[in-house]
Each structure stands twice: as structure tokens, then as C-alpha cells.
Amino acid sequence: MTETLSLSESATLTSERADLLRTLSRHRHFLRFTTRDLTDEQAGLRTTVSALCLGGLVKHVAATEGIWVDFILHGPSAMPDFTAMTEADFAERADEFRMLPGETLAGVLAEYAAVAHRTDELIAALPDLDATQPLPKAPWFESDLRWSARQVLLHVIAETAQHAGHADIIRESLDGAKTMG
């Protein structure tokens, strides 16, 4: 049976939690900053040979962060069984990386802000960052591994930083604007 964690109203924001929040916030800022002054059309443009666009990267990071927060709270049942995914499932997941008709940059950024707020509240209130959950079935995870909430948060930080770097390359290819420098 999967353990469901509950949040503690009285959790103290320790220096470790403050460091995690600051680091995640910094990388979120860099990702969001790459979208400054763009139109919806520009946010959906591919500027490299990959399928990535700026709006799609923000969507993907938001979805990834959200599913990992669900994992911290509910364990592997919050995630799909990646070993059983069909081509249709993977095609649907690919929509996460692009702006779809009717989506706006403002809407994508608002969803990311909501996900970020939820994560920040979790980091601040989670009773124990050492609490573990078994990882879901996936070809990229060893079987029988467990990750602590801390490991998951560090993974989310790394994922956000990596995609902020991708976003910087895409933005520079789009119009020469850079996140830094």
C-alpha cells in the first residue's frame, strides 16, 4: 500500500528548505525570463532542429514539477506506468513540448506560477524531506529504488535548470536575446 503524506501546518522553514526554495526560484526565473516580450506566436516557434519551443518548455517544466509533487504526496500511483505507455500516450505527452492551438504564453506562464506556488507550499510544509516513495516503473529507473522528497526536489531543480538552458538557446536563436550577458 502506498503511503500518502500529509502536510504539517507547523513545519518550520529550515535553512535547507529555504535553500531549496531559493534555488528552485532562481531557475524558474531564468526559464520565465526567456519568454519576456514575446508574442504567443513567437513562444510557439521552433528555432532549432528539436521540437522544443519556449512555450512548450514552460508547459513541460510545469507538468513535470506537478507530477513530481504528486509523487512526493502519493507515491508512484501519481505517475503513469511508463513501461505500459502506448504510442498514443507518448504522442499525447509530446503535446507537452509545444504550444497547441488556443494556448497562450500568458496562460502557460499562469499555470506554471500555480504549479510553482503549490510546490513552494509543499517544500515549506512537508513534515519530513527524508520520507521516501518507491519510484514508478520506467525503463530509466532501476527497479526497487526509492527517492526521498529531497531527492525529488533536487531532481525538479536540475530539470528546471536544464530546461532553462535549453530555453536560453531557443530564445537566442529566435531573436538574439539572452538570459544573461
Side-chain angles (χ1 to χ4, degrees):
M1 183 170 165
T2 302
E3 175 186 354
T4 300
L5 301 174
S6 61
L7 301 182
S8 167
E9 296 294 325
S10 61
T12 303
L13 189 60
T14 63
S15 60
E16 178 186 21
R17 292 169 195 256
D19 288 347
L20 289 167
L21 286 169
R22 265 192 303 278
T23 302
L24 186 52
S25 177
R26 182 178 334 113
H27 294 297
R28 286 179 185 142
H29 166 76
F30 289 138
L31 177 59
R32 285 189 313 267
F33 191 66
T34 61
T35 67
R36 71 195 178 282
D37 303 323
L38 292 180
T39 65
D40 294 337
E41 181 183 353
Q42 289 171 312
L45 290 176
R46 293 174 44 198
T47 63
T48 67
V49 296
S50 82
L52 301 176
C53 66
L54 292 171
L57 276 172
V58 173
K59 276 177 57 177
H60 169 69
V61 171
T64 300
E65 185 173 320
I67 200 166
W68 279 111
V69 166
D70 290 342
F71 170 82
I72 289 170
L73 294 170
H74 307 292
S77 65
M79 299 178 123
D81 177 352
F82 294 100
T83 62
M85 287 180 69
T86 65
E87 285 186 39
D89 295 329
F90 282 109
E92 184 179 321
R93 188 167 187 250
D95 285 346
E96 207 174 270
F97 293 93
R98 60 181 169 259
M99 297 280 290
L100 299 176
E103 290 181 329
T104 65
L105 179 57
V108 167
L109 289 169
E111 175 61 23
Y112 187 35
V115 168
H117 179 75
R118 179 176 178 239
T119 303
D120 292 350
E121 286 185 336
L122 173 71
I123 293 170
L126 195 66
D128 184 5
L129 293 179
D130 291 323
T132 66
Q133 297 281 10
L135 288 174
K137 291 181 183 178
W140 47 87
F141 293 135
E142 294 177 42
S143 57
D144 300 325
L145 279 183
R146 296 179 70 87
W147 273 12
S148 69
R150 181 184 297 99
Q151 285 173 297
V152 170
L153 295 171
L154 290 169
H155 177 73
V156 168
I157 290 167
E159 178 100 1
T160 304
Q162 180 179 11
H163 288 311
H166 293 145
D168 200 33
I169 291 167
I170 292 169
R171 179 62 191 258
E172 190 171 352
S173 298
L174 178 67
D175 63 3
K178 298 178 186 177
T179 303
M180 291 187 261

